[in-house]
Amino acid sequence: MVGYDSIDNSDLIRNIIFCDKEYESEHILKLTLPSINKSTKFVPIFKYLKDIGVTSLKDYPYEKNVIKKFVGVEEHGKLRRLKREDFMSGKYKSFVSKYQSVGFGDFLTSATPYDFVTWLPYFQDIDLGELRNYLQQKHDFYRNSNYMSNFRKAVVFYDWLENGQDFVVS
């Protein structure tokens, strides 16, 4: 059995993209997340929640405080569900001037590494298959670049789009 307490966020990031590990989702949530929780904000957990049938914070069978920062945002003293805007950085005006008339597929083939991690959440026509292929192809590049934390955020955005948009936090 894998030592689930030794799995780190980079292992989870890789597994979300490649689905090449046979992790037990219950073990990831129960044993891995508590140690990762201390070190980072962007952890892809929606796949693992979905795998065990958890669609809301109230249904989470382990310590709820461990996952709150991964599934929602504190706002005015209350936790609200994640939304696309939580993954956005940069100014919308800059996105519009550069990519407004570009389709998602063309964006993937033309974007610089910086542009990809900055402007990805602004696209409304994201094809999840194309995005996953891109993430797979660029994984090694980003892993060894100055953009790794932003790439991690992009993978969590992908996980949220694929598995977590309907996750309920209240």
Side-chain angles (χ1 to χ4, degrees):
M1 180 164 110
V2 173
Y4 283 89
D5 55 350
S6 66
I7 294 171
D8 66 15
N9 199 24
S10 62
D11 297 319
L12 298 180
I13 294 291
R14 179 178 172 79
N15 193 49
I16 291 297
I17 299 169
F18 292 100
C19 299
D20 60 350
K21 305 290 182 198
E22 294 186 19
Y23 295 143
E24 294 287 332
S25 293
E26 289 180 22
H27 295 321
I28 291 294
L29 296 168
K30 184 178 182 180
L31 303 172
T32 305
L33 279 184
S35 62
I36 291 177
N37 187 32
K38 299 172 182 96
S39 60
T40 187
K41 178 182 176 187
F42 290 104
V43 176
I45 68 166
F46 290 107
K47 174 199 180 309
Y48 304 107
L49 292 167
K50 186 177 180 181
D51 285 352
I52 66 166
V54 173
T55 58
S56 71
L57 186 60
K58 73 176 170 86
D59 295 334
Y60 186 66
Y62 310 112
E63 175 55 47
K64 291 169 181 39
N65 286 331
V66 170
I67 69 163
K68 281 183 176 180
K69 74 177 185 178
F70 305 134
V71 299
V73 173
E74 282 285 332
E75 193 171 79
H76 308 296
K78 291 190 172 200
L79 189 68
R80 67 154 172 82
R81 76 171 56 196
L82 288 174
K83 53 188 178 182
R84 181 179 294 266
E85 291 80 6
D86 296 322
F87 296 96
M88 293 177 173
S89 56
K91 297 195 182 330
Y92 181 71
K93 194 189 282 186
S94 299
F95 168 76
V96 168
S97 70
K98 195 163 190 177
Y99 290 110
Q100 180 180 19
S101 62
V102 176
F104 183 67
D106 291 334
F107 168 71
L108 290 180
T109 59
S110 65
T112 65
Y114 170 82
D115 283 356
F116 171 74
V117 296
T118 303
W119 305 120
L120 170 65
Y122 288 87
F123 281 88
Q124 300 298 314
D125 64 336
I126 294 174
D127 178 296
L128 292 176
E130 281 185 284
L131 176 55
R132 183 172 178 215
N133 287 337
Y134 179 89
L135 294 170
Q136 289 172 343
Q137 292 169 8
K138 300 295 185 176
H139 175 262
D140 288 340
F141 167 79
Y142 279 103
R143 191 182 72 202
N144 300 310
S145 77
N146 293 335
Y147 301 113
M148 183 54 196
S149 62
N150 294 31
F151 182 74
R152 192 175 319 135
K153 184 177 176 181
V155 173
V156 172
F157 178 64
Y158 165 77
D159 180 44
W160 175 77
L161 286 173
E162 180 77 24
N163 303 298
Q165 290 185 72
D166 297 324
F167 191 84
V168 178
V169 297
S170 54

